[in-house]
Amino acid sequence: MLATAAQERTQRMSSAPENATVRGLIFNAVFKLVAQQQGEKEATELRATIAARPLVDFFSYPVRDFLQVLYSAADLLAPKYGSVEAAIQACGAAAVGGFFQSNVGKTLTHIIGNKDPKRLFSSSPTAYATAVSYGKREYTALGERRVRLHFTGDIQPVEFHQGLLAEALRSMGHQGRVEARKLGLDEAEYIIEW
């Protein structure tokens, strides 16, 4: 079991495969959140830690760079959100907003509809596969208003996905909750209810 966020950060950075990637739109959503909350200067400085120029939304970049950006952003945002974990959740929420505003996200929303959370979450394995090159996600319906997502081989912190999934639910106009259960460094289960 991991004792601290700092230990988890170190473990995630060292265990991330070199060839694992994340789409630029996820990075850009985090930069945008930092710009909104801390200012453009801080967002530009954060971006400069990994790239000399802006990232292209649909290009893929190393997940190790994303982890560096995510944890650095969380450190910057923690005073506003109350903790590093809450800041990571906010970054996850920002990422889903960036995804839904992208052409891929708009297409997916058009195909599945934008009012049925069950349909949205049943499509999440496909949506994640378009955004990242690693891991496996499985969907299980647990009732009319309750589903489970099981992630294996995942590199990002549980709080990131918890924020992302909660924001996806809110973006569809539903109140609810996302309960996360860590099963290991790269495995977690999310129960989503609305």
Side-chain angles (χ1 to χ4, degrees), residues 8-14 16 20 22 26-27 30-31 34 42-52 55 61-77 84 88 91 134 155-157 160:
E8 183 172 333
R9 174 190 302 205
T10 300
Q11 287 185 332
R12 286 189 185 284
M13 291 290 289
S14 65
V22 176
I26 306 296
F27 284 86
V30 174
F31 296 141
V34 169
E42 286 79 2
T44 300
E45 288 172 358
L46 180 60
R47 185 181 299 111
T49 64
I50 60 151
L55 303 181
Y61 301 93
V63 74
R64 287 181 181 172
D65 286 353
F66 181 72
L67 289 171
Q68 180 181 334
V69 165
L70 177 64
Y71 282 111
S72 295
D75 289 341
L76 286 169
L77 298 169
V84 167
I88 291 172
C91 290
Y134 54 82
I155 298 167
Q156 296 172 22
F160 182 82

Side-chain angles (χ1 to χ4, degrees), residues 24-189:
L25 66 96
I26 306 296
F27 284 86
N28 289 333
V30 174
F31 296 141
K32 182 177 178 182
L33 178 64
V34 169
Q36 290 169 340
Q37 300 299 328
Q38 298 293 318
E40 195 60 49
K41 179 179 180 269
E42 286 79 2
T44 300
E45 288 172 358
L46 180 60
R47 185 181 299 111
T49 64
I50 60 151
R53 56 183 167 220
L55 303 181
V56 178
D57 279 353
F58 293 104
F59 286 9
S60 294
Y61 301 93
V63 74
R64 287 181 181 172
D65 286 353
F66 181 72
L67 289 171
Q68 180 181 334
V69 165
L70 177 64
Y71 282 111
S72 295
D75 289 341
L76 286 169
L77 298 169
K80 169 150 180 69
Y81 290 99
S83 69
V84 167
E85 293 80 9
I88 291 172
Q89 285 184 354
C91 290
V96 80
F99 178 77
F100 282 138
Q101 292 169 10
S102 73
N103 288 335
V104 171
K106 287 176 184 175
T107 301
L108 182 64
T109 302
H110 179 73
I111 291 168
I112 64 169
N114 62 356
K115 299 293 180 205
D116 184 1
K118 210 173 203 181
R119 285 187 70 189
L120 172 72
F121 292 121
S122 71
S123 299
S124 61
T126 302
Y128 271 98
T130 65
V132 300
S133 69
Y134 54 82
K136 182 178 177 186
R137 288 103 196 146
E138 295 176 356
Y139 163 86
T140 305
L142 301 175
E144 277 303 306
R145 301 172 77 76
R146 189 170 190 248
V147 301
R148 176 178 50 230
L149 293 175
H150 184 235
F151 289 23
T152 54
D154 197 76
I155 298 167
Q156 296 172 22
V158 168
E159 296 83 6
F160 182 82
H161 297 297
Q162 194 172 16
L164 187 151
L165 296 167
E167 183 61 27
L169 192 58
R170 276 191 295 274
S171 73
M172 298 186 79
H174 293 275
Q175 295 299 314
R177 66 186 190 102
V178 178
E179 180 185 320
R181 195 177 91 179
K182 257 186 222 183
L183 302 172
L185 185 66
D186 69 346
E187 184 177 6
E189 179 178 86

